[in-house]
Amino acid sequence: MILFLFYVIIFFLGACCASFLAVTAQDFPNVSLTRRSSCSNCNKTLSILDLIPVFSYLFLLGKCSNSKVRIPYNTIIGEIFSGVFLFIIFYKHMDTLMYIPILLTLILLSYSDFFYKHIYTIYYLGFIPALFSNNHKYMLDCILVYIFLLLFSIISNGLGLGDVELCAILALFFGYRICLFILLISCGLCILHFLTNKKRSFGFIPYITLASGIILIIFI
């Protein structure tokens, strides 16, 4: 029972982290720790009951309690994703907690790419804690992936520089083979989303984040 409660708390902490990172990505570089959260449609200040990760979205049926406008689905997806994968990290990888800063940084980059199709270089600092637990045996993989994807991006105009940099960083931690799997799954998720949504352009980093989580479960 105690172990179950521990993992429930871990899931909730992960969801809270995603909620905080979403606000950070929306407000950056004018982040204020004292700003009260409000509805982006009606500007109503949200109560505590409106701010409980995952549960508030379900309780409110995905709509603002005041204006009844639908809350973007990415909110609950990010919270569930973060909660589930933080749980998996603690369940499977207690000896390799370097995945936690990697996960949280990926989520921050995903929100920034989703909201603005732009990421700030300073966000990459979130990967630094993971470097201390990595033996850098994949440094060559990182360089090769960066060069290959950069050339691919120039030739095809299919990837942004931020996507290339992120894939190279992931290759530094996991090697080029795992990075290739992540890239293939990301492309598959993006194509599936396009077939169901028909948008002309997508921020690619959210798909890289989802793919990294899938790889974390299956292979690592």
Side-chain angles (χ1 to χ4, degrees):
M1 183 64 181
I2 294 177
L3 186 61
F4 172 77
L5 290 176
F6 171 76
Y7 285 128
V8 169
I9 292 172
I10 291 299
F11 172 85
F12 187 71
L13 285 176
C16 288
C17 288
S19 180
F20 173 77
L21 292 173
V23 174
T24 301
Q26 282 185 298
D27 290 354
F28 195 86
N30 301 311
V31 178
S32 172
L33 296 178
T34 60
R35 181 181 74 83
R36 294 290 303 276
S37 297
S38 60
C39 174
S40 58
N41 183 70
C42 65
N43 295 320
K44 175 183 178 291
T45 300
L46 301 180
S47 66
I48 294 178
L49 295 178
D50 295 321
L51 295 172
I52 303 174
V54 180
F55 298 103
S56 291
Y57 188 96
L58 297 175
F59 178 76
L60 296 171
L61 301 178
K63 298 180 180 179
C64 171
S65 60
N66 183 56
S67 64
K68 304 303 179 184
V69 171
R70 184 161 296 280
I71 302 170
Y73 67 88
N74 67 285
T75 302
I76 190 170
I77 290 177
E79 291 171 355
I80 292 175
F81 173 87
S82 182
V84 168
F85 286 103
L86 192 63
F87 160 77
I88 290 171
I89 288 171
F90 274 86
Y91 183 74
K92 294 181 61 178
H93 305 293
M94 282 294 289
D95 58 334
T96 318
L97 295 182
M98 76 168 192
Y99 296 123
I100 294 178
I102 294 174
L103 169 70
L104 295 179
T105 305
L106 284 172
I107 291 173
L108 177 60
L109 293 169
S110 296
Y111 277 125
S112 182
D113 199 27
F114 180 86
F115 291 132
Y116 303 117
K117 301 294 186 294
H118 173 78
I119 57 175
Y120 292 91
T121 305
I122 194 174
Y123 291 162
Y124 292 137
L125 294 178
F127 290 115
I128 288 180
L131 292 174
F132 292 102
S133 57
N134 186 273
N135 58 13
H136 310 295
K137 63 180 178 179
Y138 296 125
M139 181 63 74
L140 181 60
D141 298 53
C142 171
I143 296 172
L144 291 176
V145 167
Y146 182 80
I147 293 174
F148 174 77
L149 291 181
L150 183 61
L151 292 175
F152 175 80
S153 176
I154 294 172
I155 294 171
S156 67
N157 197 30
L159 289 174
L161 183 58
D163 304 327
V164 174
E165 293 171 346
L166 181 57
C167 287
I169 291 172
L170 293 177
L172 175 64
F173 292 118
F174 305 121
Y176 77 89
R177 290 184 178 87
I178 293 295
C179 185
L180 178 61
F181 278 116
I182 290 173
L183 194 57
L184 290 174
I185 294 174
S186 302
C187 292
L189 293 172
C190 189
I191 291 171
L192 182 63
H193 192 189
F194 174 78
L195 293 175
T196 58
N197 202 12
K198 302 299 183 182
K199 283 181 64 176
R200 290 184 175 273
S201 63
F202 296 91
F204 193 56
I205 291 180
Y207 302 101
I208 294 177
T209 299
L210 286 172
S212 299
I214 293 171
I215 290 296
L216 183 67
I217 293 174
I218 299 175
F219 293 108
I220 299 177

